[in-house]
Amino acid sequence: MGPDPSWMFDLTGTVIPIFLAVVIGIIALSASRGLLQWSRNNKSPIMTIPARIVSKRTEVRQQQLQDDSNNSRTSTTYYLTYESDLGVRMEFKVDGNEYGMSAEGDRGILTYQGTRYHGFQRQPHYSTAE
């Protein structure tokens, strides 16, 4: 007689629904984590503390475009790590201008809310060297 053709019904009746359930679950989990973080940030007080910049880093991502010209797109994300006077370190995503104007060792007043960066006001540092 030949092979049993019912395997195809098992694929479409069992494997595909399980695959779709896993994909939908991953999307739902990701969205709920984002909403939970957003909610936590909203409930957190806005903090303003003395801090200094201890580290700078960038994350460069390259995306190949799907066209005939073999073009690619590059994006850069900028991060600054701050250390409070109590020794607690926090890293925040900042824009390129803020990143470019910052140097490791800068001291000032850091304002943030949970994981949201609100700004860093540098305090002038004058050298006593002649």
Side-chain angles (χ1 to χ4, degrees), residues 9-66:
F9 294 108
D10 288 338
L11 177 69
T12 58
T14 305
V15 175
I16 292 176
I18 290 172
F19 176 75
L20 288 175
V22 168
V23 168
I24 291 170
I26 290 171
I27 292 170
L29 181 65
S30 177
S32 65
R33 287 182 64 200
L35 286 172
L36 184 63
Q37 185 64 54
W38 177 80
S39 175
R40 271 193 231 133
N41 282 341
N42 285 342
K43 292 177 183 175
S44 297
I46 295 177
M47 303 292 292
T48 301
I49 62 169
R52 69 183 179 97
I53 299 173
V54 293
S55 178
K56 296 172 67 171
R57 76 177 179 94
T58 60
E59 182 179 305
V60 179
R61 292 185 180 181
Q62 184 175 7
Q63 176 185 5
Q64 291 293 105
L65 300 178
Q66 300 295 327

Short mmCIF file of all heavy atoms in Angstrom, two decimals, residues 9-66:
data_model
loop_
_atom_site.label_atom_id
_atom_site.label_comp_id
_atom_site.label_asym_id
_atom_site.label_seq_id
_atom_site.Cartn_x
_atom_site.Cartn_y
_atom_site.Cartn_z
N PHE A 9 -1.25 15.29 8.72
CA PHE A 9 -2.28 15.83 9.61
C PHE A 9 -1.72 15.99 11.03
O PHE A 9 -2.11 16.87 11.75
CB PHE A 9 -3.52 14.93 9.58
CG PHE A 9 -4.20 14.96 8.24
CD1 PHE A 9 -4.15 13.86 7.40
CD2 PHE A 9 -4.86 16.09 7.81
CE1 PHE A 9 -4.76 13.89 6.17
CE2 PHE A 9 -5.47 16.13 6.57
CZ PHE A 9 -5.43 15.03 5.75
N ASP A 10 -0.78 15.12 11.41
CA ASP A 10 -0.14 15.26 12.72
C ASP A 10 0.72 16.52 12.75
O ASP A 10 0.78 17.21 13.77
CB ASP A 10 0.71 14.05 13.05
CG ASP A 10 -0.12 12.82 13.36
OD1 ASP A 10 -1.30 12.99 13.74
OD2 ASP A 10 0.42 11.72 13.24
N LEU A 11 1.40 16.83 11.64
CA LEU A 11 2.24 18.02 11.58
C LEU A 11 1.39 19.28 11.72
O LEU A 11 1.67 20.14 12.54
CB LEU A 11 3.02 18.05 10.26
CG LEU A 11 3.89 19.29 10.04
CD1 LEU A 11 5.05 19.29 11.01
CD2 LEU A 11 4.38 19.35 8.62
N THR A 12 0.35 19.37 10.92
CA THR A 12 -0.49 20.57 10.96
C THR A 12 -1.40 20.60 12.18
O THR A 12 -1.79 21.66 12.62
CB THR A 12 -1.35 20.69 9.69
OG1 THR A 12 -2.16 19.52 9.57
CG2 THR A 12 -0.47 20.87 8.48
N GLY A 13 -1.72 19.45 12.72
CA GLY A 13 -2.62 19.40 13.86
C GLY A 13 -1.90 19.48 15.20
O GLY A 13 -2.51 19.80 16.21
N THR A 14 -0.58 19.22 15.24
CA THR A 14 0.12 19.19 16.51
C THR A 14 1.33 20.12 16.53
O THR A 14 1.44 20.97 17.40
CB THR A 14 0.61 17.75 16.80
OG1 THR A 14 -0.50 16.87 16.75
CG2 THR A 14 1.24 17.68 18.17
N VAL A 15 2.23 19.99 15.58
CA VAL A 15 3.49 20.71 15.60
C VAL A 15 3.29 22.21 15.36
O VAL A 15 3.84 23.03 16.10
CB VAL A 15 4.48 20.12 14.57
CG1 VAL A 15 5.75 20.93 14.50
CG2 VAL A 15 4.78 18.67 14.91
N ILE A 16 2.53 22.57 14.36
CA ILE A 16 2.35 23.99 14.04
C ILE A 16 1.64 24.73 15.17
O ILE A 16 2.08 25.81 15.56
CB ILE A 16 1.63 24.16 12.68
CG1 ILE A 16 2.58 23.68 11.57
CG2 ILE A 16 1.21 25.61 12.45
CD1 ILE A 16 2.00 23.69 10.19
N PRO A 17 0.56 24.20 15.76
CA PRO A 17 -0.05 24.91 16.90
C PRO A 17 0.90 25.07 18.09
O PRO A 17 0.90 26.11 18.75
CB PRO A 17 -1.24 24.05 17.27
CG PRO A 17 -1.59 23.32 16.02
CD PRO A 17 -0.28 23.09 15.33
N ILE A 18 1.72 24.07 18.36
CA ILE A 18 2.69 24.18 19.45
C ILE A 18 3.72 25.26 19.12
O ILE A 18 4.05 26.09 19.97
CB ILE A 18 3.38 22.83 19.73
CG1 ILE A 18 2.38 21.85 20.34
CG2 ILE A 18 4.59 23.00 20.63
CD1 ILE A 18 2.88 20.44 20.48
N PHE A 19 4.20 25.30 17.90
CA PHE A 19 5.15 26.31 17.48
C PHE A 19 4.54 27.71 17.62
O PHE A 19 5.18 28.63 18.14
CB PHE A 19 5.59 26.06 16.02
CG PHE A 19 6.49 27.11 15.47
CD1 PHE A 19 7.82 27.17 15.85
CD2 PHE A 19 6.00 28.06 14.57
CE1 PHE A 19 8.66 28.15 15.34
CE2 PHE A 19 6.83 29.04 14.07
CZ PHE A 19 8.16 29.09 14.45
N LEU A 20 3.31 27.90 17.16
CA LEU A 20 2.65 29.19 17.26
C LEU A 20 2.44 29.59 18.72
O LEU A 20 2.60 30.76 19.08
CB LEU A 20 1.32 29.17 16.52
CG LEU A 20 1.41 29.15 15.00
CD1 LEU A 20 0.03 29.01 14.38
CD2 LEU A 20 2.09 30.40 14.48
N ALA A 21 2.08 28.63 19.57
CA ALA A 21 1.88 28.93 20.99
C ALA A 21 3.19 29.39 21.63
O ALA A 21 3.20 30.32 22.44
CB ALA A 21 1.34 27.70 21.71
N VAL A 22 4.31 28.76 21.27
CA VAL A 22 5.62 29.17 21.81
C VAL A 22 5.98 30.57 21.33
O VAL A 22 6.43 31.41 22.13
CB VAL A 22 6.71 28.14 21.42
CG1 VAL A 22 8.09 28.67 21.71
CG2 VAL A 22 6.47 26.83 22.13
N VAL A 23 5.78 30.87 20.06
CA VAL A 23 6.10 32.20 19.51
C VAL A 23 5.23 33.26 20.18
O VAL A 23 5.73 34.31 20.61
CB VAL A 23 5.94 32.23 17.98
CG1 VAL A 23 5.99 33.65 17.44
CG2 VAL A 23 7.00 31.37 17.32
N ILE A 24 3.95 33.02 20.30
CA ILE A 24 3.05 33.98 20.95
C ILE A 24 3.43 34.15 22.42
O ILE A 24 3.40 35.25 22.95
CB ILE A 24 1.58 33.54 20.77
CG1 ILE A 24 1.18 33.70 19.30
CG2 ILE A 24 0.65 34.34 21.68
CD1 ILE A 24 -0.15 33.09 18.94
N GLY A 25 3.82 33.07 23.08
CA GLY A 25 4.25 33.15 24.48
C GLY A 25 5.49 34.00 24.65
O GLY A 25 5.58 34.80 25.59
N ILE A 26 6.44 33.85 23.74
CA ILE A 26 7.68 34.66 23.80
C ILE A 26 7.35 36.14 23.61
O ILE A 26 7.87 36.99 24.34
CB ILE A 26 8.70 34.16 22.76
CG1 ILE A 26 9.24 32.79 23.17
CG2 ILE A 26 9.84 35.17 22.58
CD1 ILE A 26 10.08 32.11 22.11
N ILE A 27 6.49 36.45 22.65
CA ILE A 27 6.10 37.84 22.41
C ILE A 27 5.37 38.41 23.63
O ILE A 27 5.65 39.53 24.07
CB ILE A 27 5.23 37.94 21.14
CG1 ILE A 27 6.09 37.63 19.91
CG2 ILE A 27 4.59 39.33 21.02
CD1 ILE A 27 5.31 37.47 18.63
N ALA A 28 4.46 37.64 24.21
CA ALA A 28 3.71 38.11 25.38
C ALA A 28 4.63 38.32 26.57
O ALA A 28 4.50 39.29 27.32
CB ALA A 28 2.60 37.11 25.73
N LEU A 29 5.58 37.42 26.77
CA LEU A 29 6.52 37.55 27.87
C LEU A 29 7.39 38.80 27.71
O LEU A 29 7.60 39.54 28.67
CB LEU A 29 7.41 36.30 27.96
CG LEU A 29 8.43 36.27 29.09
CD1 LEU A 29 7.71 36.25 30.44
CD2 LEU A 29 9.32 35.05 28.95
N SER A 30 7.86 39.04 26.51
CA SER A 30 8.68 40.22 26.24
C SER A 30 7.89 41.50 26.48
O SER A 30 8.39 42.44 27.09
CB SER A 30 9.20 40.16 24.81
OG SER A 30 9.93 41.30 24.50
N ALA A 31 6.65 41.55 26.00
CA ALA A 31 5.82 42.74 26.19
C ALA A 31 5.51 42.95 27.67
O ALA A 31 5.56 44.09 28.16
CB ALA A 31 4.52 42.60 25.39
N SER A 32 5.23 41.88 28.39
CA SER A 32 4.91 42.04 29.81
C SER A 32 6.13 42.49 30.62
O SER A 32 6.00 43.28 31.55
CB SER A 32 4.32 40.75 30.39
OG SER A 32 5.27 39.71 30.36
N ARG A 33 7.31 42.03 30.26
CA ARG A 33 8.53 42.50 30.94
C ARG A 33 8.74 43.99 30.71
O ARG A 33 9.12 44.72 31.62
CB ARG A 33 9.75 41.71 30.47
CG ARG A 33 9.79 40.29 31.00
CD ARG A 33 11.02 39.55 30.57
NE ARG A 33 12.21 40.18 31.12
CZ ARG A 33 13.42 40.02 30.66
NH1 ARG A 33 13.63 39.25 29.61
NH2 ARG A 33 14.45 40.62 31.21
N GLY A 34 8.51 44.46 29.47
CA GLY A 34 8.64 45.88 29.17
C GLY A 34 7.63 46.72 29.94
O GLY A 34 7.97 47.77 30.49
N LEU A 35 6.38 46.26 30.01
CA LEU A 35 5.36 46.98 30.76
C LEU A 35 5.66 46.99 32.25
O LEU A 35 5.44 48.00 32.94
CB LEU A 35 3.98 46.37 30.51
CG LEU A 35 3.36 46.67 29.15
CD1 LEU A 35 2.10 45.84 28.94
CD2 LEU A 35 3.07 48.15 29.02
N LEU A 36 6.19 45.89 32.77
CA LEU A 36 6.53 45.82 34.18
C LEU A 36 7.66 46.80 34.52
O LEU A 36 7.59 47.51 35.52
CB LEU A 36 6.95 44.39 34.56
CG LEU A 36 7.25 44.12 36.02
CD1 LEU A 36 6.01 44.34 36.86
CD2 LEU A 36 7.74 42.69 36.18
N GLN A 37 8.67 46.90 33.67
CA GLN A 37 9.77 47.84 33.88
C GLN A 37 9.27 49.27 33.80
O GLN A 37 9.64 50.13 34.60
CB GLN A 37 10.90 47.61 32.87
CG GLN A 37 12.12 48.47 33.11
CD GLN A 37 12.78 48.16 34.44
OE1 GLN A 37 13.10 47.02 34.72
NE2 GLN A 37 12.96 49.17 35.27
N TRP A 38 8.40 49.56 32.84
CA TRP A 38 7.82 50.88 32.69
C TRP A 38 7.04 51.26 33.94
O TRP A 38 7.15 52.37 34.47
CB TRP A 38 6.92 50.89 31.46
CG TRP A 38 6.20 52.18 31.22
CD1 TRP A 38 6.71 53.32 30.65
CD2 TRP A 38 4.85 52.46 31.53
NE1 TRP A 38 5.74 54.29 30.60
CE2 TRP A 38 4.58 53.79 31.13
CE3 TRP A 38 3.81 51.72 32.10
CZ2 TRP A 38 3.35 54.38 31.29
CZ3 TRP A 38 2.57 52.32 32.25
CH2 TRP A 38 2.36 53.64 31.85
N SER A 39 6.25 50.32 34.46
CA SER A 39 5.46 50.56 35.67
C SER A 39 6.36 50.80 36.88
O SER A 39 6.11 51.70 37.69
CB SER A 39 4.54 49.37 35.92
OG SER A 39 3.84 49.52 37.12
N ARG A 40 7.42 49.99 37.02
CA ARG A 40 8.36 50.18 38.13
C ARG A 40 9.02 51.55 38.06
O ARG A 40 9.21 52.20 39.09
CB ARG A 40 9.42 49.09 38.10
CG ARG A 40 9.03 47.87 38.87
CD ARG A 40 10.25 46.98 39.07
NE ARG A 40 9.87 45.65 38.64
CZ ARG A 40 10.56 44.86 37.86
NH1 ARG A 40 11.74 45.25 37.42
NH2 ARG A 40 10.11 43.69 37.51
N ASN A 41 9.40 51.97 36.86
CA ASN A 41 10.03 53.29 36.70
C ASN A 41 9.06 54.39 37.10
O ASN A 41 9.45 55.35 37.76
CB ASN A 41 10.50 53.51 35.27
CG ASN A 41 11.79 52.78 34.97
OD1 ASN A 41 12.53 52.40 35.86
ND2 ASN A 41 12.04 52.57 33.70
N ASN A 42 7.80 54.27 36.71
CA ASN A 42 6.81 55.29 37.06
C ASN A 42 6.59 55.38 38.57
O ASN A 42 6.33 56.46 39.10
CB ASN A 42 5.48 55.01 36.37
CG ASN A 42 5.52 55.35 34.91
OD1 ASN A 42 6.39 56.08 34.45
ND2 ASN A 42 4.57 54.82 34.16
N LYS A 43 6.69 54.26 39.27
CA LYS A 43 6.50 54.24 40.72
C LYS A 43 7.74 54.69 41.48
O LYS A 43 7.65 55.02 42.67
CB LYS A 43 6.09 52.84 41.18
CG LYS A 43 4.71 52.43 40.70
CD LYS A 43 4.38 51.02 41.12
CE LYS A 43 3.03 50.61 40.56
NZ LYS A 43 2.73 49.20 40.84
N SER A 44 8.89 54.68 40.84
CA SER A 44 10.14 55.07 41.51
C SER A 44 10.21 56.58 41.66
O SER A 44 9.75 57.32 40.79
CB SER A 44 11.35 54.61 40.69
OG SER A 44 11.39 53.22 40.61
N PRO A 45 10.81 57.05 42.75
CA PRO A 45 10.98 58.50 42.91
C PRO A 45 12.08 58.99 41.97
O PRO A 45 12.98 58.24 41.59
CB PRO A 45 11.40 58.64 44.36
CG PRO A 45 12.05 57.34 44.71
CD PRO A 45 11.33 56.30 43.90
N ILE A 46 11.99 60.26 41.62
CA ILE A 46 13.07 60.88 40.83
C ILE A 46 14.20 61.19 41.82
O ILE A 46 14.01 61.89 42.80
CB ILE A 46 12.59 62.15 40.12
CG1 ILE A 46 11.53 61.79 39.09
CG2 ILE A 46 13.76 62.88 39.47
CD1 ILE A 46 10.93 62.97 38.36
N MET A 47 15.37 60.60 41.54
CA MET A 47 16.53 60.74 42.43
C MET A 47 17.52 61.73 41.82
O MET A 47 17.77 61.70 40.62
CB MET A 47 17.21 59.39 42.63
CG MET A 47 16.31 58.29 43.19
SD MET A 47 15.81 58.58 44.86
CE MET A 47 17.36 58.38 45.70
N THR A 48 18.08 62.58 42.67
CA THR A 48 19.13 63.51 42.28
C THR A 48 20.27 63.32 43.27
O THR A 48 20.10 63.61 44.46
CB THR A 48 18.61 64.95 42.29
OG1 THR A 48 17.51 65.04 41.39
CG2 THR A 48 19.68 65.93 41.86
N ILE A 49 21.40 62.80 42.77
CA ILE A 49 22.52 62.45 43.66
C ILE A 49 23.84 62.93 43.08
O ILE A 49 23.98 63.06 41.86
CB ILE A 49 22.59 60.92 43.89
CG1 ILE A 49 22.83 60.19 42.56
CG2 ILE A 49 21.33 60.40 44.57
CD1 ILE A 49 23.18 58.72 42.71
N PRO A 50 24.84 63.18 43.94
CA PRO A 50 26.18 63.46 43.43
C PRO A 50 26.78 62.17 42.86
O PRO A 50 26.63 61.11 43.46
CB PRO A 50 26.96 63.93 44.65
CG PRO A 50 26.04 63.89 45.80
CD PRO A 50 24.75 63.32 45.38
N ALA A 51 27.42 62.28 41.72
CA ALA A 51 28.00 61.10 41.08
C ALA A 51 29.15 61.53 40.18
O ALA A 51 29.36 62.71 39.93
CB ALA A 51 26.95 60.36 40.28
N ARG A 52 29.88 60.52 39.70
CA ARG A 52 30.94 60.79 38.73
C ARG A 52 30.85 59.73 37.63
O ARG A 52 30.35 58.62 37.84
CB ARG A 52 32.32 60.78 39.37
CG ARG A 52 32.80 59.44 39.85
CD ARG A 52 34.17 59.56 40.54
NE ARG A 52 34.58 58.27 41.00
CZ ARG A 52 35.41 57.45 40.35
NH1 ARG A 52 35.95 57.84 39.21
NH2 ARG A 52 35.74 56.29 40.85
N ILE A 53 31.32 60.10 36.45
CA ILE A 53 31.34 59.18 35.32
C ILE A 53 32.56 58.28 35.46
O ILE A 53 33.68 58.77 35.57
CB ILE A 53 31.36 59.93 33.98
CG1 ILE A 53 30.11 60.79 33.83
CG2 ILE A 53 31.49 58.96 32.81
CD1 ILE A 53 30.11 61.70 32.62
N VAL A 54 32.33 56.97 35.48
CA VAL A 54 33.45 56.04 35.63
C VAL A 54 33.74 55.27 34.35
O VAL A 54 34.82 54.69 34.22
CB VAL A 54 33.22 55.05 36.80
CG1 VAL A 54 33.23 55.78 38.13
CG2 VAL A 54 31.94 54.27 36.63
N SER A 55 32.80 55.25 33.40
CA SER A 55 33.03 54.48 32.19
C SER A 55 32.12 54.97 31.07
O SER A 55 31.02 55.45 31.31
CB SER A 55 32.77 53.00 32.47
OG SER A 55 32.94 52.24 31.30
N LYS A 56 32.62 54.83 29.84
CA LYS A 56 31.85 55.12 28.64
C LYS A 56 31.95 53.90 27.74
O LYS A 56 32.98 53.27 27.67
CB LYS A 56 32.45 56.32 27.89
CG LYS A 56 32.41 57.63 28.63
CD LYS A 56 33.19 58.71 27.90
CE LYS A 56 32.57 59.09 26.60
NZ LYS A 56 33.19 60.28 25.97
N ARG A 57 30.84 53.58 27.07
CA ARG A 57 30.91 52.50 26.09
C ARG A 57 29.89 52.72 24.99
O ARG A 57 28.93 53.47 25.17
CB ARG A 57 30.71 51.13 26.73
CG ARG A 57 29.30 50.77 27.11
CD ARG A 57 29.20 49.35 27.66
NE ARG A 57 27.85 49.02 28.03
CZ ARG A 57 26.97 48.41 27.26
NH1 ARG A 57 27.32 48.04 26.04
NH2 ARG A 57 25.74 48.15 27.69
N THR A 58 30.13 52.08 23.86
CA THR A 58 29.21 52.14 22.73
C THR A 58 28.84 50.74 22.31
O THR A 58 29.58 49.78 22.55
CB THR A 58 29.82 52.87 21.52
OG1 THR A 58 31.00 52.17 21.12
CG2 THR A 58 30.13 54.31 21.84
N GLU A 59 27.69 50.63 21.67
CA GLU A 59 27.26 49.35 21.09
C GLU A 59 26.90 49.65 19.64
O GLU A 59 25.98 50.41 19.37
CB GLU A 59 26.04 48.83 21.85
CG GLU A 59 25.54 47.50 21.36
CD GLU A 59 24.34 47.04 22.18
OE1 GLU A 59 24.46 46.97 23.42
OE2 GLU A 59 23.30 46.76 21.58
N VAL A 60 27.64 49.06 18.71
CA VAL A 60 27.43 49.30 17.29
C VAL A 60 26.74 48.08 16.70
O VAL A 60 27.18 46.95 16.88
CB VAL A 60 28.76 49.57 16.56
CG1 VAL A 60 28.53 49.80 15.07
CG2 VAL A 60 29.49 50.75 17.17
N ARG A 61 25.65 48.35 15.99
CA ARG A 61 24.91 47.26 15.33
C ARG A 61 24.88 47.53 13.83
O ARG A 61 24.65 48.66 13.40
CB ARG A 61 23.47 47.19 15.85
CG ARG A 61 23.39 46.74 17.27
CD ARG A 61 21.96 46.57 17.68
NE ARG A 61 21.90 46.14 19.07
CZ ARG A 61 20.80 45.89 19.70
NH1 ARG A 61 19.65 46.02 19.08
NH2 ARG A 61 20.82 45.49 20.94
N GLN A 62 25.11 46.49 13.07
CA GLN A 62 25.09 46.60 11.62
C GLN A 62 24.00 45.69 11.08
O GLN A 62 23.88 44.53 11.49
CB GLN A 62 26.43 46.21 11.02
CG GLN A 62 26.48 46.41 9.53
CD GLN A 62 27.87 46.13 8.97
OE1 GLN A 62 28.75 45.68 9.67
NE2 GLN A 62 28.04 46.39 7.70
N GLN A 63 23.18 46.22 10.16
CA GLN A 63 22.09 45.46 9.57
C GLN A 63 22.26 45.46 8.06
O GLN A 63 22.36 46.51 7.44
CB GLN A 63 20.76 46.10 9.95
CG GLN A 63 19.57 45.47 9.32
CD GLN A 63 18.28 46.23 9.64
OE1 GLN A 63 18.30 47.27 10.27
NE2 GLN A 63 17.18 45.71 9.18
N GLN A 64 22.32 44.28 7.49
CA GLN A 64 22.41 44.15 6.04
C GLN A 64 21.02 44.37 5.45
O GLN A 64 20.05 43.77 5.91
CB GLN A 64 22.91 42.77 5.65
CG GLN A 64 24.36 42.51 5.99
CD GLN A 64 25.30 43.37 5.19
OE1 GLN A 64 25.85 44.31 5.72
NE2 GLN A 64 25.49 43.06 3.94
N LEU A 65 20.91 45.22 4.45
CA LEU A 65 19.62 45.48 3.80
C LEU A 65 19.40 44.44 2.73
O LEU A 65 20.33 43.99 2.06
CB LEU A 65 19.59 46.89 3.22
CG LEU A 65 19.79 48.02 4.24
CD1 LEU A 65 19.78 49.36 3.54
CD2 LEU A 65 18.70 47.97 5.28
N GLN A 66 18.17 44.06 2.56
CA GLN A 66 17.81 43.01 1.60
C GLN A 66 17.44 43.60 0.25
O GLN A 66 16.33 43.47 -0.23
CB GLN A 66 16.63 42.19 2.15
CG GLN A 66 16.89 41.50 3.46
CD GLN A 66 17.98 40.44 3.34
OE1 GLN A 66 18.11 39.80 2.31
NE2 GLN A 66 18.74 40.27 4.39
#
